Amino acid sequence: MADETIARKRLRGFGNWQATATRHTPLEDAQGLFTGTVLTALGIAILAHLGFLTGGTAGLAFILHYATGVNFGLLFFVVNLPFYFLAIRRMGLAFTVKTFIAVALLSLLTAVQPALFAFGTVDRTTGAVLGGLLMGFGLLALFRHRTSLGGVGILALYLQDRFRWRAGITQLAIDLSVLALSFTVADPTSIAFSILGVVVLNLFLAINHRADRYIAM
Protein backbone atom coordinates (compact mmCIF):
# COMPACT_ATOMS: atom_id res chain seq x y z
CA MET A 1 0.00 0.00 0.00
CA ALA A 2 2.82 2.38 0.89
CA ASP A 3 4.59 1.53 -2.37
CA GLU A 4 1.40 2.25 -4.32
CA THR A 5 1.03 5.66 -2.64
CA ILE A 6 4.64 6.55 -3.47
CA ALA A 7 4.13 5.46 -7.08
CA ARG A 8 1.06 7.65 -7.40
CA LYS A 9 2.90 10.65 -6.02
CA ARG A 10 5.75 10.11 -8.46
CA LEU A 11 3.29 9.82 -11.36
CA ARG A 12 1.56 13.05 -10.38
CA GLY A 13 4.87 14.83 -10.04
CA PHE A 14 6.38 13.63 -13.32
CA GLY A 15 7.03 16.65 -15.53
CA ASN A 16 5.15 18.93 -13.17
CA TRP A 17 7.42 21.94 -13.05
CA GLN A 18 4.96 24.37 -11.49
CA ALA A 19 2.28 23.37 -13.98
CA THR A 20 -1.38 24.12 -13.26
CA ALA A 21 -4.66 23.17 -14.90
CA THR A 22 -4.53 26.39 -16.93
CA ARG A 23 -0.82 26.95 -17.59
CA HIS A 24 1.85 24.98 -19.46
CA THR A 25 5.38 24.61 -18.19
CA PRO A 26 8.32 25.87 -20.32
CA LEU A 27 9.19 22.26 -21.13
CA GLU A 28 5.63 21.55 -22.28
CA ASP A 29 5.69 24.69 -24.43
CA ALA A 30 9.02 23.69 -25.96
CA GLN A 31 7.86 20.21 -26.95
CA GLY A 32 4.55 21.55 -28.25
CA LEU A 33 6.30 24.21 -30.33
CA PHE A 34 8.83 21.75 -31.75
CA THR A 35 6.29 19.00 -32.50
CA GLY A 36 3.78 21.39 -34.07
CA THR A 37 6.44 22.97 -36.26
CA VAL A 38 7.80 19.61 -37.44
CA LEU A 39 4.33 18.33 -38.35
CA THR A 40 3.58 21.53 -40.24
CA ALA A 41 6.89 21.37 -42.09
CA LEU A 42 6.12 17.79 -43.14
CA GLY A 43 2.71 18.83 -44.46
CA ILE A 44 4.28 21.71 -46.40
CA ALA A 45 6.91 19.35 -47.83
CA ILE A 46 4.16 17.07 -49.22
CA LEU A 47 2.31 20.00 -50.77
CA ALA A 48 5.49 21.42 -52.29
CA HIS A 49 6.41 18.00 -53.71
CA LEU A 50 3.09 17.92 -55.56
CA GLY A 51 3.26 21.55 -56.68
CA PHE A 52 0.32 22.55 -54.49
CA LEU A 53 -0.19 25.67 -52.40
CA THR A 54 -1.90 26.51 -49.14
CA GLY A 55 -3.40 29.58 -47.52
CA GLY A 56 -2.20 32.33 -45.22
CA THR A 57 1.35 33.62 -45.19
CA ALA A 58 2.57 30.17 -46.18
CA GLY A 59 0.38 30.46 -49.28
CA LEU A 60 1.83 33.88 -50.09
CA ALA A 61 5.32 32.45 -49.64
CA PHE A 62 4.41 29.57 -51.99
CA ILE A 63 3.16 32.02 -54.64
CA LEU A 64 6.35 34.08 -54.42
CA HIS A 65 8.47 30.91 -54.43
CA TYR A 66 6.83 29.55 -57.59
CA ALA A 67 7.02 32.98 -59.26
CA THR A 68 10.63 33.83 -58.39
CA GLY A 69 12.37 30.58 -57.45
CA VAL A 70 13.55 32.07 -54.14
CA ASN A 71 13.73 29.60 -51.24
CA PHE A 72 10.32 29.09 -49.60
CA GLY A 73 11.74 29.16 -46.06
CA LEU A 74 13.33 32.58 -46.57
CA LEU A 75 10.19 34.01 -48.14
CA PHE A 76 8.02 32.61 -45.35
CA PHE A 77 10.20 34.26 -42.72
CA VAL A 78 10.16 37.65 -44.49
CA VAL A 79 6.40 37.64 -45.23
CA ASN A 80 5.66 37.15 -41.54
CA LEU A 81 7.72 40.10 -40.29
CA PRO A 82 4.95 42.76 -40.49
CA PHE A 83 2.58 40.68 -38.36
CA TYR A 84 4.76 40.76 -35.26
CA PHE A 85 3.62 44.33 -34.58
CA LEU A 86 0.03 43.11 -34.17
CA ALA A 87 1.22 40.11 -32.16
CA ILE A 88 3.17 42.08 -29.58
CA ARG A 89 0.45 44.75 -29.22
CA ARG A 90 -2.52 42.39 -29.01
CA MET A 91 -1.22 38.97 -27.96
CA GLY A 92 1.67 39.80 -25.63
CA LEU A 93 5.43 39.38 -25.57
CA ALA A 94 5.47 35.66 -24.71
CA PHE A 95 3.16 34.82 -27.62
CA THR A 96 5.24 36.95 -29.99
CA VAL A 97 8.56 35.41 -28.95
CA LYS A 98 7.23 31.86 -29.27
CA THR A 99 5.71 32.67 -32.65
CA PHE A 100 8.99 34.16 -33.88
CA ILE A 101 10.83 31.00 -32.80
CA ALA A 102 8.24 28.76 -34.50
CA VAL A 103 8.42 30.75 -37.76
CA ALA A 104 12.22 30.71 -37.73
CA LEU A 105 12.27 26.97 -37.03
CA LEU A 106 9.76 26.25 -39.80
CA SER A 107 11.78 28.37 -42.22
CA LEU A 108 14.89 26.38 -41.33
CA LEU A 109 13.16 23.00 -41.57
CA THR A 110 11.65 23.72 -44.99
CA ALA A 111 15.02 24.97 -46.23
CA VAL A 112 16.93 21.82 -45.20
CA GLN A 113 14.13 19.30 -45.86
CA PRO A 114 15.23 18.43 -49.44
CA ALA A 115 18.64 17.39 -48.09
CA LEU A 116 17.09 15.23 -45.35
CA PHE A 117 14.46 13.24 -47.24
CA ALA A 118 12.54 13.15 -50.51
CA PHE A 119 9.19 11.75 -51.63
CA GLY A 120 8.50 9.26 -54.39
CA THR A 121 5.12 8.89 -56.05
CA VAL A 122 2.29 10.48 -54.06
CA ASP A 123 -1.35 10.32 -55.13
CA ARG A 124 -2.58 13.90 -55.53
CA THR A 125 -5.79 13.51 -53.55
CA THR A 126 -4.01 11.62 -50.78
CA GLY A 127 -1.25 14.22 -50.70
CA ALA A 128 -3.69 17.12 -50.45
CA VAL A 129 -5.64 15.50 -47.59
CA LEU A 130 -2.56 14.27 -45.75
CA GLY A 131 -0.78 17.60 -46.15
CA GLY A 132 -3.82 19.45 -44.82
CA LEU A 133 -4.20 17.11 -41.86
CA LEU A 134 -0.52 17.30 -40.91
CA MET A 135 -0.60 21.09 -41.04
CA GLY A 136 -3.85 21.08 -39.05
CA PHE A 137 -2.34 18.89 -36.35
CA GLY A 138 0.77 21.06 -36.28
CA LEU A 139 -1.15 24.32 -35.98
CA LEU A 140 -3.44 22.84 -33.32
CA ALA A 141 -0.40 21.93 -31.21
CA LEU A 142 0.98 25.45 -31.63
CA PHE A 143 -2.34 27.16 -30.90
CA ARG A 144 -2.77 25.15 -27.69
CA HIS A 145 0.61 26.39 -26.51
CA ARG A 146 -0.31 30.01 -27.24
CA THR A 147 1.79 30.39 -30.33
CA SER A 148 1.28 30.31 -34.08
CA LEU A 149 3.13 30.38 -37.38
CA GLY A 150 2.60 34.09 -37.79
CA GLY A 151 0.49 36.03 -40.23
CA VAL A 152 -3.04 34.72 -40.52
CA GLY A 153 -2.54 32.53 -37.45
CA ILE A 154 -1.91 35.64 -35.34
CA LEU A 155 -4.96 37.37 -36.78
CA ALA A 156 -7.18 34.28 -36.36
CA LEU A 157 -6.16 33.80 -32.72
CA TYR A 158 -6.65 37.49 -31.98
CA LEU A 159 -10.16 37.45 -33.47
CA GLN A 160 -11.02 34.29 -31.54
CA ASP A 161 -9.81 35.83 -28.27
CA ARG A 162 -11.50 39.18 -28.98
CA PHE A 163 -14.77 38.15 -30.64
CA ARG A 164 -14.93 34.35 -30.08
CA TRP A 165 -14.82 33.77 -33.83
CA ARG A 166 -13.65 30.22 -34.59
CA ALA A 167 -9.99 30.38 -35.63
CA GLY A 168 -10.50 27.68 -38.26
CA ILE A 169 -13.39 29.48 -39.97
CA THR A 170 -11.55 32.81 -40.01
CA GLN A 171 -8.45 31.20 -41.42
CA LEU A 172 -10.48 29.33 -44.05
CA ALA A 173 -11.97 32.57 -45.40
CA ILE A 174 -8.57 34.25 -45.64
CA ASP A 175 -6.91 31.13 -47.04
CA LEU A 176 -9.41 30.88 -49.88
CA SER A 177 -8.73 34.53 -50.72
CA VAL A 178 -5.00 33.81 -50.87
CA LEU A 179 -5.60 30.80 -53.08
CA ALA A 180 -7.49 33.02 -55.51
CA LEU A 181 -4.15 34.74 -56.16
CA SER A 182 -2.50 31.43 -56.94
CA PHE A 183 -4.04 31.34 -60.43
CA THR A 184 -1.10 33.52 -61.45
CA VAL A 185 1.44 30.75 -60.73
CA ALA A 186 -0.40 27.40 -60.84
CA ASP A 187 -2.77 25.49 -63.09
CA PRO A 188 -6.47 25.07 -62.16
CA THR A 189 -6.08 21.37 -61.31
CA SER A 190 -3.28 22.03 -58.81
CA ILE A 191 -5.29 24.87 -57.30
CA ALA A 192 -8.31 22.59 -56.91
CA PHE A 193 -6.22 20.07 -54.98
CA SER A 194 -4.72 22.94 -52.97
CA ILE A 195 -8.22 24.08 -52.00
CA LEU A 196 -8.99 20.53 -50.86
CA GLY A 197 -5.95 20.63 -48.57
CA VAL A 198 -6.93 24.04 -47.19
CA VAL A 199 -10.50 22.91 -46.48
CA VAL A 200 -9.25 19.78 -44.68
CA LEU A 201 -6.79 21.85 -42.62
CA ASN A 202 -9.29 24.49 -41.54
CA LEU A 203 -12.21 22.17 -40.89
CA PHE A 204 -9.89 20.17 -38.65
CA LEU A 205 -9.04 23.36 -36.74
CA ALA A 206 -12.66 24.53 -36.61
CA ILE A 207 -13.74 21.23 -35.07
CA ASN A 208 -10.83 20.72 -32.69
CA HIS A 209 -9.63 24.18 -31.66
CA ARG A 210 -12.18 25.82 -29.39
CA ALA A 211 -11.34 28.19 -26.56
CA ASP A 212 -14.21 26.85 -24.44
CA ARG A 213 -12.77 23.31 -24.53
CA TYR A 214 -9.08 23.97 -23.97
CA ILE A 215 -8.06 26.65 -21.51
CA ALA A 216 -4.38 26.02 -20.79
CA MET A 217 -2.01 28.89 -21.50
Short mmCIF file of all heavy atoms in Angstrom, two decimals, residues 57-85:
data_model
loop_
_atom_site.label_atom_id
_atom_site.label_comp_id
_atom_site.label_asym_id
_atom_site.label_seq_id
_atom_site.Cartn_x
_atom_site.Cartn_y
_atom_site.Cartn_z
N THR A 57 0.03 33.15 -44.80
CA THR A 57 1.35 33.62 -45.19
C THR A 57 2.16 32.52 -45.86
O THR A 57 3.01 32.81 -46.71
CB THR A 57 2.11 34.16 -43.96
OG1 THR A 57 2.05 33.19 -42.90
CG2 THR A 57 1.52 35.46 -43.46
N ALA A 58 1.90 31.26 -45.49
CA ALA A 58 2.57 30.17 -46.18
C ALA A 58 2.14 30.14 -47.65
O ALA A 58 2.96 29.89 -48.55
CB ALA A 58 2.23 28.84 -45.51
N GLY A 59 0.86 30.41 -47.91
CA GLY A 59 0.38 30.46 -49.28
C GLY A 59 1.02 31.59 -50.06
O GLY A 59 1.41 31.42 -51.23
N LEU A 60 1.15 32.76 -49.43
CA LEU A 60 1.83 33.88 -50.09
C LEU A 60 3.28 33.53 -50.39
O LEU A 60 3.81 33.87 -51.45
CB LEU A 60 1.75 35.12 -49.20
CG LEU A 60 0.37 35.76 -49.03
CD1 LEU A 60 0.44 36.92 -48.03
CD2 LEU A 60 -0.15 36.26 -50.38
N ALA A 61 3.92 32.86 -49.43
CA ALA A 61 5.32 32.45 -49.64
C ALA A 61 5.41 31.44 -50.79
O ALA A 61 6.36 31.48 -51.58
CB ALA A 61 5.89 31.86 -48.36
N PHE A 62 4.44 30.52 -50.87
CA PHE A 62 4.41 29.57 -51.99
C PHE A 62 4.28 30.30 -53.32
O PHE A 62 4.97 29.99 -54.30
CB PHE A 62 3.24 28.59 -51.84
CG PHE A 62 3.60 27.28 -51.21
CD1 PHE A 62 2.89 26.81 -50.11
CD2 PHE A 62 4.64 26.51 -51.70
CE1 PHE A 62 3.21 25.59 -49.53
CE2 PHE A 62 4.97 25.29 -51.13
CZ PHE A 62 4.25 24.83 -50.04
N ILE A 63 3.37 31.27 -53.40
CA ILE A 63 3.16 32.02 -54.64
C ILE A 63 4.45 32.72 -55.06
O ILE A 63 4.87 32.66 -56.23
CB ILE A 63 2.01 33.03 -54.47
CG1 ILE A 63 0.68 32.29 -54.31
CG2 ILE A 63 1.95 33.98 -55.66
CD1 ILE A 63 -0.49 33.19 -53.96
N LEU A 64 5.10 33.39 -54.11
CA LEU A 64 6.35 34.08 -54.42
C LEU A 64 7.46 33.09 -54.79
O LEU A 64 8.28 33.37 -55.68
CB LEU A 64 6.78 34.92 -53.21
CG LEU A 64 5.87 36.11 -52.87
CD1 LEU A 64 6.31 36.75 -51.56
CD2 LEU A 64 5.91 37.14 -54.01
N HIS A 65 7.46 31.94 -54.12
CA HIS A 65 8.47 30.91 -54.43
C HIS A 65 8.31 30.39 -55.85
O HIS A 65 9.28 30.29 -56.61
CB HIS A 65 8.32 29.76 -53.43
CG HIS A 65 9.08 28.52 -53.81
ND1 HIS A 65 10.45 28.47 -53.85
CD2 HIS A 65 8.64 27.29 -54.18
CE1 HIS A 65 10.84 27.26 -54.22
NE2 HIS A 65 9.75 26.53 -54.43
N TYR A 66 7.07 30.07 -56.25
CA TYR A 66 6.83 29.55 -57.59
C TYR A 66 7.10 30.63 -58.65
O TYR A 66 7.50 30.33 -59.77
CB TYR A 66 5.40 29.04 -57.72
CG TYR A 66 5.13 27.78 -56.92
CD1 TYR A 66 3.90 27.59 -56.28
CD2 TYR A 66 6.08 26.77 -56.82
CE1 TYR A 66 3.64 26.44 -55.56
CE2 TYR A 66 5.82 25.61 -56.09
CZ TYR A 66 4.60 25.45 -55.46
OH TYR A 66 4.36 24.31 -54.74
N ALA A 67 6.85 31.89 -58.28
CA ALA A 67 7.02 32.98 -59.26
C ALA A 67 8.48 33.39 -59.43
O ALA A 67 8.89 33.79 -60.53
CB ALA A 67 6.19 34.19 -58.84
N THR A 68 9.26 33.30 -58.34
CA THR A 68 10.63 33.83 -58.39
C THR A 68 11.71 32.76 -58.25
O THR A 68 12.87 33.01 -58.62
CB THR A 68 10.84 34.86 -57.26
OG1 THR A 68 10.75 34.20 -55.98
CG2 THR A 68 9.78 35.96 -57.33
N GLY A 69 11.37 31.61 -57.68
CA GLY A 69 12.37 30.58 -57.45
C GLY A 69 13.16 30.77 -56.17
O GLY A 69 14.02 29.95 -55.84
N VAL A 70 12.87 31.83 -55.41
CA VAL A 70 13.55 32.07 -54.14
C VAL A 70 13.10 31.03 -53.12
O VAL A 70 11.95 30.58 -53.14
CB VAL A 70 13.25 33.49 -53.62
CG1 VAL A 70 13.88 33.74 -52.25
CG2 VAL A 70 13.73 34.53 -54.63
N ASN A 71 14.01 30.64 -52.23
CA ASN A 71 13.73 29.60 -51.24
C ASN A 71 12.46 29.91 -50.44
O ASN A 71 12.28 31.02 -49.94
CB ASN A 71 14.92 29.46 -50.29
CG ASN A 71 14.70 28.40 -49.22
OD1 ASN A 71 14.21 28.70 -48.14
ND2 ASN A 71 15.06 27.17 -49.54
N PHE A 72 11.58 28.90 -50.32
CA PHE A 72 10.32 29.09 -49.60
C PHE A 72 10.55 29.52 -48.15
O PHE A 72 9.87 30.41 -47.64
CB PHE A 72 9.51 27.79 -49.63
CG PHE A 72 8.31 27.80 -48.71
CD1 PHE A 72 7.10 28.31 -49.14
CD2 PHE A 72 8.41 27.33 -47.40
CE1 PHE A 72 6.00 28.34 -48.29
CE2 PHE A 72 7.32 27.35 -46.55
CZ PHE A 72 6.11 27.87 -46.99
N GLY A 73 11.50 28.86 -47.47
CA GLY A 73 11.74 29.16 -46.06
C GLY A 73 12.09 30.62 -45.84
O GLY A 73 11.60 31.26 -44.90
N LEU A 74 12.95 31.17 -46.69
CA LEU A 74 13.33 32.58 -46.57
C LEU A 74 12.14 33.49 -46.81
O LEU A 74 11.91 34.45 -46.06
CB LEU A 74 14.45 32.90 -47.57
CG LEU A 74 14.89 34.37 -47.63
CD1 LEU A 74 15.43 34.82 -46.29
CD2 LEU A 74 15.94 34.56 -48.73
N LEU A 75 11.37 33.19 -47.84
CA LEU A 75 10.19 34.01 -48.14
C LEU A 75 9.17 33.95 -47.01
O LEU A 75 8.58 34.97 -46.65
CB LEU A 75 9.56 33.54 -49.45
CG LEU A 75 10.35 33.82 -50.72
CD1 LEU A 75 9.74 33.10 -51.91
CD2 LEU A 75 10.43 35.32 -51.00
N PHE A 76 8.97 32.77 -46.45
CA PHE A 76 8.02 32.61 -45.35
C PHE A 76 8.43 33.46 -44.15
O PHE A 76 7.59 34.11 -43.52
CB PHE A 76 7.92 31.14 -44.96
CG PHE A 76 6.96 30.86 -43.84
CD1 PHE A 76 5.59 30.95 -44.05
CD2 PHE A 76 7.42 30.51 -42.58
CE1 PHE A 76 4.70 30.70 -43.01
CE2 PHE A 76 6.53 30.27 -41.54
CZ PHE A 76 5.17 30.36 -41.76
N PHE A 77 9.71 33.47 -43.84
CA PHE A 77 10.20 34.26 -42.72
C PHE A 77 9.97 35.75 -42.96
O PHE A 77 9.51 36.47 -42.08
CB PHE A 77 11.69 33.98 -42.51
CG PHE A 77 12.28 34.69 -41.33
CD1 PHE A 77 12.14 34.17 -40.05
CD2 PHE A 77 12.98 35.88 -41.50
CE1 PHE A 77 12.68 34.83 -38.95
CE2 PHE A 77 13.52 36.54 -40.40
CZ PHE A 77 13.37 36.02 -39.14
N VAL A 78 10.28 36.22 -44.18
CA VAL A 78 10.16 37.65 -44.49
C VAL A 78 8.69 38.09 -44.51
O VAL A 78 8.34 39.14 -43.98
CB VAL A 78 10.84 37.95 -45.84
CG1 VAL A 78 10.55 39.39 -46.28
CG2 VAL A 78 12.35 37.72 -45.73
N VAL A 79 7.82 37.28 -45.12
CA VAL A 79 6.40 37.64 -45.23
C VAL A 79 5.76 37.82 -43.86
O VAL A 79 4.85 38.64 -43.69
CB VAL A 79 5.64 36.57 -46.05
CG1 VAL A 79 4.13 36.73 -45.91
CG2 VAL A 79 6.03 36.64 -47.52
N ASN A 80 6.25 37.09 -42.87
CA ASN A 80 5.66 37.15 -41.54
C ASN A 80 6.11 38.36 -40.72
O ASN A 80 5.47 38.68 -39.71
CB ASN A 80 5.99 35.88 -40.76
CG ASN A 80 5.01 34.76 -41.03
OD1 ASN A 80 3.86 34.83 -40.63
ND2 ASN A 80 5.46 33.75 -41.74
N LEU A 81 7.16 39.02 -41.11
CA LEU A 81 7.72 40.10 -40.29
C LEU A 81 6.71 41.19 -39.93
O LEU A 81 6.66 41.62 -38.77
CB LEU A 81 8.94 40.71 -40.98
CG LEU A 81 10.18 39.80 -41.08
CD1 LEU A 81 11.30 40.50 -41.86
CD2 LEU A 81 10.67 39.42 -39.68
N PRO A 82 5.87 41.68 -40.86
CA PRO A 82 4.95 42.76 -40.49
C PRO A 82 3.92 42.38 -39.42
O PRO A 82 3.39 43.26 -38.72
CB PRO A 82 4.25 43.10 -41.82
CG PRO A 82 5.16 42.59 -42.87
CD PRO A 82 5.78 41.36 -42.29
N PHE A 83 3.63 41.10 -39.28
CA PHE A 83 2.58 40.68 -38.36
C PHE A 83 3.02 40.67 -36.90
O PHE A 83 2.17 40.57 -36.00
CB PHE A 83 2.06 39.30 -38.75
CG PHE A 83 1.29 39.28 -40.05
CD1 PHE A 83 1.94 39.04 -41.26
CD2 PHE A 83 -0.07 39.54 -40.07
CE1 PHE A 83 1.23 39.03 -42.44
CE2 PHE A 83 -0.78 39.54 -41.26
CZ PHE A 83 -0.12 39.28 -42.45
N TYR A 84 4.31 40.77 -36.65
CA TYR A 84 4.76 40.76 -35.26
C TYR A 84 4.33 42.01 -34.50
O TYR A 84 4.22 41.99 -33.28
CB TYR A 84 6.28 40.59 -35.20
CG TYR A 84 6.74 39.24 -35.70
CD1 TYR A 84 7.59 39.12 -36.79
CD2 TYR A 84 6.29 38.06 -35.10
CE1 TYR A 84 7.99 37.88 -37.26
CE2 TYR A 84 6.68 36.83 -35.57
CZ TYR A 84 7.53 36.74 -36.64
OH TYR A 84 7.92 35.52 -37.12
N PHE A 85 4.09 43.11 -35.23
CA PHE A 85 3.62 44.33 -34.58
C PHE A 85 2.25 44.09 -33.95
O PHE A 85 2.00 44.45 -32.79
CB PHE A 85 3.55 45.47 -35.59
CG PHE A 85 3.04 46.76 -35.03
CD1 PHE A 85 3.82 47.52 -34.19
CD2 PHE A 85 1.75 47.21 -35.32
CE1 PHE A 85 3.34 48.72 -33.66
CE2 PHE A 85 1.27 48.39 -34.80
CZ PHE A 85 2.07 49.14 -33.96
#
